[in-house]
Amino acid sequence: SSPMSKKALYLLGIVITFILGTFLYLKFCCNCTMKTPTIDTGKVSKVVAPDETTVPFILNGSGIDYHTNDNIKFLKNSPTALLPVGDSVSIGVQNLKTFLIANPKQKITITGYATSDETNTTTFENLGLARANDIKKYFVSQGLPDPQLNTKGEVIDKWQTKKDTLFGPVKYAFEAPEAAPAVTDEWIILKEKINGDPLILHFSTNKSRDQLTTAEKEKVADLVKYMEHVKEAVIVAVGHSDNVGNRDSNVALGQKRAEFTKNYLSKNGVDGNRITAESKGPDEPIGENTTAEGRANNRRTVITIK
């Protein structure tokens, strides 16, 4: 084709690009600029609203901070929350669930309020307490852990109300787990001590023994102490062997050593159901299997806390 037709195609391409660009700009960008004010006005109306009728839904504790101007509502004289709750409250409840599951020692107190001119038709001491319990029931239905939720109720003179609807007559207080951290630290330190220098029981070939040295007895005492205080802890006893003979019989021998250790510990104050016995056989030697001393070191059971 001639240079002239190439030039024409080139110009046509520029024109098409320009038209397409203008079209896309009008289609998308104009919509964007039109949308922005509607979002803003939404925000403005929300900011104004609290002064009139709403009480914000607030979850504020160490590690959680959630605010929304929407809230759970109750009809006058009613102990039952109006469901479903708004999306922003629902998101807050899910945040709270994640927070409580991650912090099993954290408790919150749900305080329900009722006004003095409301009638309590429930079996609860007051309507505020009935409301707190209804919120707790709702939270539990959403997967929040029941034992971490406490309830209280108060009767007060007035609450933010519109027609017959009370806005969020409930508050959430996060209890500070006072003494827990110090205690936890003590047990973390003890666990690190136990696992850092674990109790290792050695055995001569095909035999199991239970004459312990003073140091070994102290390690058993530490294990017993830890297991008594940390109720969910589990002890793992792993039996090991040297590499003399075939692997299967060595794995069986390691298992026997682990079982012996489990029986020994359960006779000395540790719940046998909380001890797992397993065997690594000859797979994890700590000494050279070429020497008698090395083989003796490899015939052992190592006891740690999971």
Side-chain angles (χ1 to χ4, degrees):
S1 61
S2 71
M4 198 60 195
S5 61
K6 268 188 184 166
K7 208 170 194 180
L9 277 171
Y10 183 60
L11 286 168
L12 188 65
I14 290 173
V15 170
I16 289 168
T17 308
F18 179 72
I19 291 167
L20 193 62
T22 308
F23 169 74
L24 291 171
Y25 176 81
L26 290 169
K27 182 169 169 63
F28 294 107
C29 277
C30 283
N31 276 359
C32 291
T33 51
M34 280 159 65
K35 272 182 189 161
T36 313
T38 57
I39 288 170
D40 282 350
T41 54
K43 275 184 187 162
V44 170
S45 66
K46 267 191 180 168
V47 173
V48 174
D51 299 339
E52 296 162 20
T53 50
T54 69
V55 173
F57 177 82
I58 297 172
L59 300 169
N60 192 354
S62 174
I64 185 167
D65 186 11
Y66 187 86
H67 291 235
T68 171
N69 285 333
D70 196 3
N71 211 326
I72 299 171
K73 302 172 186 73
F74 287 83
L75 288 175
K76 193 170 182 181
N77 302 318
S78 167
T80 315
L82 294 171
L83 296 178
V85 301
D87 288 348
S88 62
V89 173
S90 190
I91 291 165
V93 174
Q94 287 311 306
N95 283 5
L96 182 59
K97 172 186 168 180
T98 307
F99 175 74
L100 289 179
I101 289 169
N103 299 280
K105 287 193 165 68
Q106 176 71 65
K107 288 188 162 48
I108 69 163
T109 299
I110 303 166
T111 304
Y113 294 94
T115 59
S116 46
D117 64 341
E118 287 186 280
T119 312
N120 178 22
T121 55
T122 72
T123 53
F124 288 99
E125 189 187 330
N126 62 58
L127 185 57
L129 185 58
R131 284 174 174 156
N133 276 280
D134 190 66
I135 296 284
K136 177 177 175 174
K137 195 171 79 181
Y138 168 66
F139 282 0
V140 170
S141 79
Q142 298 303 301
L144 278 76
D146 185 308
Q148 287 169 258
L149 306 173
N150 298 324
T151 52
K152 262 170 60 175
E154 285 183 29
V155 176
I156 52 174
D157 288 343
K158 61 179 193 203
W159 193 269
Q160 202 67 274
T161 308
K162 190 177 182 185
K163 292 185 181 155
D164 272 346
T165 307
L166 281 82
F167 286 86
V170 186
K171 284 191 179 154
Y172 311 93
F174 289 75
E175 311 294 318
E178 295 290 328
V183 174
T184 314
D185 288 349
E186 183 191 331
W187 303 117
I188 289 169
I189 290 163
L190 184 57
K191 182 180 180 178
E192 283 171 358
K193 179 187 169 191
I194 291 165
N195 288 351
D197 180 19
L199 173 62
I200 298 176
L201 301 180
H202 287 278
F203 304 90
S204 55
T205 306
N206 297 330
K207 293 203 182 86
S208 307
R209 72 175 179 97
D210 66 357
Q211 303 95 322
L212 297 194
T213 66
T214 310
E216 286 167 345
K217 282 177 182 161
E218 274 175 19
K219 287 180 180 184
V220 172
D222 280 344
L223 283 163
V224 171
K225 184 177 167 188
Y226 186 87
M227 296 297 280
E228 275 175 0
H229 282 85
V230 184
K231 298 298 180 196
E232 66 276 13
V234 175
I235 283 177
V236 186
V238 182
H240 299 266
S241 69
D242 57 27
N243 67 353
V244 178
N246 73 41
R247 187 177 180 282
D248 287 351
S249 61
N250 277 326
V251 169
L253 202 54
Q255 187 65 33
K256 221 181 251 180
R257 286 177 184 145
E259 296 290 347
F260 168 79
T261 303
K262 176 177 173 170
N263 292 338
Y264 175 81
L265 290 172
S266 56
K267 283 185 196 135
N268 283 276
V270 179
D271 176 3
N273 295 321
R274 294 169 63 199
I275 305 170
T276 307
E278 52 190 61
S279 172
K280 292 278 172 73
D283 298 344
E284 291 183 7
I286 53 166
E288 294 290 337
N289 276 311
T290 50
T291 68
E293 191 190 345
R295 288 193 294 275
N297 282 335
N298 290 335
R299 298 188 290 271
R300 70 203 191 278
T301 307
V302 181
I303 299 103
T304 53
I305 288 169
K306 212 171 186 172

